[in-house]
């Protein structure tokens, strides 16, 4: 099976022009098909502040009222997506920026929750794998903004980690998929204060052990539970680390590689 | 040759939800391949006002400083583009929203002018007709936002009328192209105060005559000069009229159809 790398980055990287330039070069240098999924929460929060639209976050998820939806659509699908694509084009990488709306790439529904109204937050129903395959076959590199829709005209705001994972799972039976989550830390740490305490390989046994001894930062638990779930759905490898080390993350010489066993 | 309809609308239509819904249905009902190009100047101006970023217009063109470029990218390529695509998907039209950046669809250069610095305004160098053909062949309907790039990483703001025309000209030898410009008026009027004074067919002879007798509103002259230039470049027909009458514009029963002779 052909190897396919799916990389998720935070939107913050595009506000640091040196970091973005480096990342773009590293990403473009990855051989074979690849997909980039980006967030952009910090820039959306900044714009909301400038426009004096109060934002409510519950467990890291933005409660998305109509005005906030407009903001995230502008920031994610507009400014961040097109800035990244322009940079990739500049280094000869034939990138195409899409949101979940385009070609019905990601269909979702408005979140149903017994007590909290998250507003226009979308939980994913389906991924258009045919469109992704078609783009991969014509050697186009897809850059995905985490805006989805419900197929009846409503835009929705979907978590970018979840979206990257849904794309990875949808392609896991067609490609050997490596799913790489980039964040501010160099990997899964056994000591949150010590960046050199990276766990290089994380298998279920060690994970259970680290959880039992309280050695994994609580904020990492949902990310890691999701990573193991992705492996259960035939994703080949999940890698967690710092975007600055993208090349090494893919080679397995930096970050944390999460494996079946 | 296959008929291809290229429709340009102003961004104002998306702020009028009833008008947008009607337009989307009419557009989706057009048979055969079609491309939609949209502007969005009014919404960009509103957002700039809210963010207190002063805007300068020279002859209807926005002087685009770095902050204004961010605004137009967010509004055109983000909010307007994705809102239209979501509405089209809702009526079963398989739309994909792109900017000129995506797949290097429209490459441009920063405008060079002897006395005025327009900032990040892009004049078009090339259109990726291969990408357009590929999308048309797979029955995808392209919705284009007028944000372009210079292929070295710089986003640029390009006039949507000019962009629609460049796409039309680039495809004129491959398809029988109808280029439809929608605006607030029902067509070219001989009396700007009287909406019933539409010129149904405008050929070069009549145009020369109307110009000589001062019967065409001065603001229309550049639009019409461009329309005749498009015909010179093998575009089949240029039609000017009101988006509310899209079906009739294409049939030739409303608006002004501009022809070679």
């Amino acid at each position: 099976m052909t190897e396919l790398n799916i990389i998720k980055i935070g939107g913050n990287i595009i506000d640091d022009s040196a970091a973005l330039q480096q990342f773009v070069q590293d990403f473009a240098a990855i051989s074979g098909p690849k997909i980039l999924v980006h967030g952009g929460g910090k820039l959306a929060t900044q714009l909301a502040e400038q426009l004096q639209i109060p934002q409510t976050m519950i467990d890291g998820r933005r409660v998305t009222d109509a005005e906030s939806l407009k903001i995230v659509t502008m920031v994610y699908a507009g400014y961040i997506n097109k800035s990244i694509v322009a940079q990739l084009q500049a280094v000869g990488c034939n990138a195409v920026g899409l949101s979940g709306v385009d070609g019905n790439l990601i269909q979702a529904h408005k979140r149903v929750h017994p007590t909290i109204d998250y507003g226009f937050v979308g939980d994913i129903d389906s991924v258009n794998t045919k469109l992704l395959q078609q783009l991969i076959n014509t050697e186009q590199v897809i850059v995905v903004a985490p805006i989805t829709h419900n197929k009846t005209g409503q835009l929705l705001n979907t978590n970018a980690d979840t979206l990257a994972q849904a794309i990875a799972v949808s392609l896991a039976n067609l490609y050997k998929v490596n799913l790489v989550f980039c964040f501010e830390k160099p990997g899964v740490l056994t000591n949150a204060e010590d960046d050199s305490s990276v766990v290089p390989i994380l298998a279920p046994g060690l994970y259970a052990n680290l959880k039992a001894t309280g050695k994994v930062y609580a904020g990492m638990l949902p990310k890691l539970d999701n990573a193991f779930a992705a492996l259960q759905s035939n994703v080949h490898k999940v890698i967690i680390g710092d975007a600055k080390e993208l090349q090494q993350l893919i080679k397995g010489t930096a970050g944390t590689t999460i494996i079946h066993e």
Side-chain angles (χ1 to χ4, degrees), chain A:
Chain A
M1 275 205 288
T2 306
E3 201 161 355
L4 167 67
N5 286 292
I6 300 176
I7 321 288
K8 189 262 163 175
I9 54 168
N12 51 331
I13 202 169
I14 85 138
D15 243 15
D16 178 345
S17 68
L20 177 61
Q21 211 171 0
Q22 186 57 55
F23 174 81
V24 154
Q25 280 173 11
D26 292 343
F27 177 78
I30 298 171
S31 61
K34 47 192 180 262
I35 295 174
L36 182 61
V37 177
H38 63 82
K42 285 178 193 168
L43 285 171
T45 301
Q46 276 171 26
L47 182 60
E49 270 169 23
Q50 288 174 311
L51 292 169
Q52 295 175 301
I53 295 166
Q55 300 292 292
T56 309
M57 306 294 282
I58 298 173
D59 293 336
R61 302 292 164 106
R62 188 182 305 270
V63 174
T64 309
D65 62 10
E67 282 305 305
S68 301
L69 180 67
K70 210 164 159 176
I71 287 174
V72 295
T73 304
M74 293 197 297
V75 171
Y76 304 165
Y79 179 60
I80 296 180
N81 193 267
K82 300 319 165 196
S83 297
I84 293 174
V85 172
Q87 296 285 324
L88 284 168
Q89 286 283 345
V91 297
C93 175
N94 189 22
V96 175
L98 298 178
S99 72
V101 185
D102 301 300
N104 194 27
L105 182 59
I106 316 273
Q107 200 173 312
H109 62 270
K110 193 167 175 291
R111 178 170 299 169
V112 179
H113 190 282
T115 53
I116 303 165
D117 180 3
Y118 282 93
F120 298 107
V121 162
D123 288 325
I124 296 172
D125 292 320
S126 62
V127 176
N128 186 346
T129 49
K130 207 178 136 189
L131 175 60
L132 290 170
Q133 274 188 284
Q134 183 190 306
L135 290 161
I136 290 169
N137 289 342
T138 51
E139 293 182 2
Q140 294 179 76
V141 173
I142 311 135
V143 180
V144 188
I147 299 296
T148 59
H149 73 142
N150 68 353
K151 199 74 165 80
T152 61
Q154 180 63 55
L155 297 173
L156 295 165
N157 177 23
T158 293
N159 177 272
D161 280 10
T162 312
L163 194 145
Q165 181 161 342
I167 290 177
V169 168
S170 80
L171 294 168
N173 293 323
L174 301 163
Y175 301 89
K176 191 174 155 188
V177 173
N178 301 324
L179 174 59
V180 183
F181 288 108
C182 297
F183 74 140
E184 316 78 42
K185 295 283 179 186
V188 176
L189 305 177
T190 51
N191 175 357
E193 308 295 308
D194 179 6
D195 276 3
S196 71
S197 69
V198 175
V199 179
I201 306 275
L202 188 60
L206 177 59
Y207 182 47
N209 192 287
L210 291 173
K211 270 209 283 198
T213 55
K215 277 194 172 155
V216 180
Y217 168 60
M220 282 301 290
L221 295 179
K223 238 185 178 53
L224 293 172
D225 287 338
N226 283 339
F228 282 106
L231 296 178
Q232 290 294 330
S233 300
N234 287 336
V235 169
H236 177 61
K237 268 194 289 199
V238 178
I239 302 165
I240 297 187
D242 188 335
K244 290 191 198 81
E245 301 183 298
L246 182 63
Q247 297 280 346
Q248 295 94 309
L249 293 178
I250 289 170
K251 275 186 222 141
T253 57
T256 299
T257 299
I258 298 162
I259 55 168
H260 278 285
E261 57 181 43

